[in-house]
Amino acid sequence: MSGFDDAWLALREPVDHASRDAAVAERVRRHFASRASLTVVDLGCGTGSNLRALALSLPPRQHWHLIDGDADLLLAARRRLCDWADGSRPSVTGVVLEKGDRRIDVRFECADLTARDLTFADVGAELVTAAALFDLVSRDWLERLVDGLSDRKVPIYSVLNYDGVAHWHPADPLDARVVEAFNRHQRGDKGFGPALGPAAAGTLARLCQDRGHATWSGDSPWRLLPAHAELVAALTGGFARAAGEIDPALRDALAGWVEVHAAVDAVTIGHRDVFAHP
Ligand SMILES: C[S@@+](CC[C@H](N)C(=O)[O-])C[C@H]1O[C@@H](n2cnc3c(N)ncnc32)[C@H](O)[C@@H]1O
């Protein structure tokens, strides 16, 4: 168990897919458009949302290597991917999916990314992607990843990195303090050393630019409405829990704060996407 449960990932998946920056996604599609096949590595794959979002804009024949440290999520990924596909069958190494005119071989690897070789040469990576992961990682780890991929000229596509912006409408006087505490919590150690948190996308873009890679960034904010009440309740509770850990003096006020935001008209949570290729 990683603390990222299947139910939370399922709740955010449709919003994540709708929020991705379309211009950056189009850059990715065009970059690989002339290819017949592509080998993709998805870091911190969870239940496979990133594959479901990307597969139809990548070449007809795809090999996906899904990596996560949570064995339960990898089992859920296999199940959800088979449900999503038009057809599926087991293979020696994982599953083969048919979706529209795409044929997708999927392998699953349970591994701790802090301990793994980050060149991904062993699995022949031609694109490394990650959704909602790099705000958890440290600068050192990200630099190691970018260096490992640069040496092999492998592009990187990272989406839905939290950027530190959160607004509830109508607003509450406590919002700024809760968001400030939450953002400090985001910089704590999530297993990779001090996390980049809101600095993730900017740091990735700079590391890639410094190495001379063509780099594109764009915003991918969640824009939530009353129809997303369940996701709003879950994320507002998550902000309160994290803020209370960092700023114990806030704890008494946080129950009231969560209640005030149970029926908001709109919530915006900022994210950034980055695509870079050597
Ligand atoms: C916020 S979830 C995102 C999941 C998925 N990419 C998505 O968009 O739905 C972060 C994922 O990273 C995985 N993860 C976190 N730390 C990890 C580590 N050190 N090694 C491998 N996976 C890790 C978690 O298990 C979780 O599935």
Side-chain angles (χ1 to χ4, degrees):
M1 267 292 295
S2 59
F4 296 95
D5 65 83
D6 188 2
W8 163 248
L9 297 180
L11 199 54
R12 56 178 293 169
E13 178 163 338
V15 177
D16 277 346
H17 288 192
S19 303
R20 288 166 174 245
D21 183 85
V24 177
E26 176 60 11
R27 286 275 171 196
V28 176
R29 191 195 66 76
R30 279 178 20 204
H31 188 75
F32 298 107
S34 62
R35 303 276 304 261
S37 73
L38 188 70
T39 298
V40 186
V41 173
D42 184 20
L43 307 179
C45 64
T47 66
S49 170
N50 202 12
L51 186 161
R52 289 186 287 279
L54 265 176
L56 292 176
S57 49
L58 294 177
R61 188 80 164 84
Q62 297 169 30
H63 305 271
W64 280 74
H65 192 88
L66 302 188
I67 305 179
D68 204 283
D70 186 324
D72 291 339
L73 288 180
L74 287 173
L75 282 177
R78 177 187 288 257
R79 204 171 47 243
R80 283 184 187 275
L81 286 165
C82 291
D83 289 348
W84 162 83
D86 301 329
S88 65
R89 60 179 167 78
S91 68
V92 176
T93 49
V95 287
V96 181
L97 309 175
E98 310 282 346
K99 181 74 174 174
D101 61 355
R102 285 357 186 226
R103 190 188 135 142
I104 309 162
D105 293 321
V106 189
R107 293 175 179 214
F108 303 88
E109 178 184 339
C110 191
D112 180 354
L113 288 167
T114 64
R116 201 193 187 286
D117 162 65
L118 297 180
T119 67
F120 302 100
D122 56 325
V123 293
E126 297 171 306
L127 167 66
V128 167
T129 182
L133 178 74
F134 286 172
D135 36 35
L136 306 180
V137 310
S138 64
R139 191 184 194 287
D140 285 355
W141 185 90
L142 194 61
E143 193 159 9
R144 258 194 320 121
L145 175 73
V146 171
D147 283 337
L149 298 180
S150 300
D151 290 347
R152 297 187 48 251
K153 306 216 177 311
V154 176
I156 187 160
Y157 180 36
S158 163
V159 296
L160 297 152
N161 300 290
Y162 174 63
D163 70 359
V165 174
H167 295 299
W168 288 257
H169 181 78
D172 181 84
L174 212 55
D175 290 355
R177 192 165 156 199
V178 173
V179 173
E180 187 275 326
F182 178 82
N183 288 349
R184 260 195 292 145
H185 188 277
Q186 287 288 105
R187 293 197 172 86
D189 189 340
K190 308 290 188 297
F192 294 79
L196 285 165
T203 303
L204 174 61
R206 265 192 310 282
L207 288 170
C208 292
Q209 282 157 354
D210 288 350
R211 285 154 183 77
H213 303 180
T215 305
W216 292 272
S217 302
D219 291 323
S220 49
W222 285 353
R223 297 195 194 284
L224 306 176
L225 299 168
H228 303 110
E230 206 183 336
L231 180 57
V232 169
L235 82 87
T236 304
F239 266 75
R241 265 190 308 282
E245 272 178 39
I246 287 290
D247 186 352
L250 262 179
R251 282 183 194 158
D252 286 346
L254 281 169
W257 181 80
V258 167
E259 206 148 298
V260 165
H261 284 329
V264 283
D265 298 332
V267 181
T268 302
I269 305 292
H271 298 104
R272 298 274 292 165
D273 297 351
V274 178
F275 175 53
H277 63 81

